[in-house]
């Protein structure tokens, strides 16, 4: 049986250097990271193990202009939480401005098939246009979310959904 290794995250550099690792993560300090939406950056692509926040905070500042209109804006902490994945005991602060049309957008994770628990999210955002779907916690998936606190502060927002009948024109919290 393959065992996942443990990676201790002390700063943003540790997280960025290990974002593609198939591992368990332990957050050891509060950290600040910038993601460039013009590059479609995200932190962890797939979580198969546990991301243990240990009660610490990750502050994510989204920078840069969005790329060509009608694209996907997945600027997640984790893109995909698998059925074996667990994200827990963490506060995430987002400072996010989206300036162009997008098909799909998501913040904490895009797809959750695992467990998200004991999470506090503080989201400050301005969003212009979402064509199909947006998720604060997860946009898709069949996983479990327990004990979540979500605080939202919005700026100038204009919501338009062009495909309400396909199941995506909604907010998934």
């Amino acid at each position: 049986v393959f065992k996942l290794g443990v990676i201790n995250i002390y700063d943003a550099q540790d997280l960025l250097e290990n974002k593609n690792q198939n591992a368990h993560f332990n957050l050891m300090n509060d950290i600040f990271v910038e993601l460039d939406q013009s590059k479609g950056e995200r932190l962890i692509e797939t979580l198969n193990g546990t991301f243990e926040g240990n009660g610490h905070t990750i502050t994510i500042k989204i920078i840069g202009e969005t790329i060509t209109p009608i694209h996907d804006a997945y600027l997640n902490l984790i893109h995909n939480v698998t059925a074996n994945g667990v994200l827990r005991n963490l506060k995430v602060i987002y400072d996010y401005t989206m300036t162009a049309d997008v098909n799909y957008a998501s913040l904490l994770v895009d797809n959750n098939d695992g467990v998200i628990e004991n999470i506090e999210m503080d989201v400050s955002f301005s969003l212009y246009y979402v064509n199909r779907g947006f998720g604060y916690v997860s946009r898709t998936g069949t996983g479990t979310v327990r004990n979540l606190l979500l605080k939202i502060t919005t700026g100038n927002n204009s919501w338009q959904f062009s495909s309400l009948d396909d199941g995506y024109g909604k907010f998934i919290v």
Side-chain angles (χ1 to χ4, degrees):
V1 174
F2 177 76
K3 286 189 76 168
L4 297 178
V6 176
I7 297 174
N8 291 328
I9 305 296
Y10 292 94
D11 56 30
Q13 191 64 33
D14 286 342
L15 187 57
L16 293 170
E17 287 175 359
N18 292 290
K19 69 181 186 178
N20 293 318
Q21 298 296 318
N22 190 8
H24 295 292
F25 297 90
N26 282 319
L27 186 61
M28 308 304 285
N29 295 313
D30 294 347
I31 63 173
F32 173 85
V33 64
E34 288 185 341
L35 295 178
D36 189 339
Q37 61 185 337
S38 67
K39 297 176 183 174
E41 292 179 332
R42 62 179 65 103
L43 292 175
I44 297 172
E45 184 65 35
T46 300
L47 180 65
N48 288 314
T50 297
F51 189 105
E52 175 58 59
N54 292 310
H56 292 293
T57 300
I58 297 177
T59 300
I60 300 173
K61 169 82 173 163
I62 308 296
I63 62 169
E65 292 295 318
T66 52
I67 52 180
T68 308
I70 310 303
H71 71 286
D72 299 333
Y74 302 130
L75 296 140
N76 321 103
L77 174 61
I78 300 168
H79 187 66
N80 180 39
V81 178
T82 68
N84 296 322
V86 178
L87 173 63
R88 66 180 178 208
N89 304 322
L90 179 66
K91 180 175 182 181
V92 183
I93 299 172
Y94 281 93
D95 184 358
Y96 185 70
T97 300
M98 185 182 297
T99 57
D101 300 353
V102 296
N103 271 332
Y104 305 104
S106 53
L107 292 179
L108 188 63
V109 303
D110 186 56
N111 181 71
N112 175 36
D113 287 323
V115 176
I116 296 173
E117 61 186 357
N118 303 324
I119 302 293
E120 181 178 341
M121 291 178 65
D122 188 339
V123 180
S124 173
F125 77 100
S126 294
L127 180 62
Y128 170 64
Y129 181 93
V130 175
N131 190 32
R132 299 189 78 185
F134 181 86
Y136 291 101
V137 178
S138 175
R139 189 181 62 80
T140 63
T142 59
T144 301
V145 177
R146 292 189 288 257
N147 195 23
L148 171 77
L149 174 63
L150 175 60
K151 176 185 173 190
I152 302 169
T153 306
T154 63
N156 298 322
N157 298 298
S158 175
W159 308 108
Q160 299 178 26
F161 294 102
S162 64
S163 304
L164 291 178
D165 59 344
D166 68 1
Y168 290 105
K170 60 189 174 196
F171 288 95
I172 300 173
V173 177

